[in-house]
Amino acid sequence: MKGILAILFLAVLAVLAAPVQSEHNIAEGSSVYVKGTRLTVKFVRVVEDSRCPEDVTCVWAGNAKVVLSVAKGKQKPTEIELNTSLEPTAATIHGY
């Protein structure tokens, strides 16, 4: 489950930093610096994970929601919630 959430974070980071096209594998509670920007992204926590298990047929695929903290340079971090299936699935923070 944690590995799948790490993949979710990769997708979120790719959306967040689209002009940079940077991918990072990050554990819950850890931070990464996005090369080519002044952004630091922290994977704060998983709020919800109702996704269908891989070996089960479900009526709905479910949703995973994560909280990310994004800071540019020394600015105060901004927390955002992003989802895999429900809105919002992307966000623009500090122009990225």
Side-chain angles (χ1 to χ4, degrees), residues 3 8 12 18 21 29 33 36 39 41 45 48 54 59 61 66 72-74 76-77 79-80 83 87 89 96:
L8 166 69
V12 167
Q21 293 299 315
Y33 177 76
L39 296 179
V41 180
R45 69 184 170 280
E48 167 191 324
E54 290 182 14
V59 177
V66 297
K72 185 173 183 181
K74 299 208 182 274
K76 182 179 176 183
E79 280 199 355
I80 58 171
N83 297 281
E87 293 296 328
T89 58
Y96 292 92

Side-chain angles (χ1 to χ4, degrees), residues 48-78:
E48 167 191 324
D49 190 357
S50 64
R51 293 172 299 154
C52 184
E54 290 182 14
D55 57 343
V56 176
T57 302
C58 298
V59 177
W60 183 58
N63 183 58
K65 180 187 292 188
V66 297
V67 175
L68 303 176
S69 175
V70 183
K72 185 173 183 181
K74 299 208 182 274
Q75 294 179 9
K76 182 179 176 183
T78 301

Side-chain angles (χ1 to χ4, degrees), residues 5-37:
L5 291 173
I7 292 169
L8 166 69
F9 177 75
L10 292 176
V12 167
L13 187 57
V15 168
L16 184 66
V20 180
Q21 293 299 315
S22 177
E23 290 188 11
H24 299 274
N25 191 358
I26 183 171
E28 189 173 344
S30 297
S31 298
V32 295
Y33 177 76
V34 182
K35 187 176 180 178
T37 72

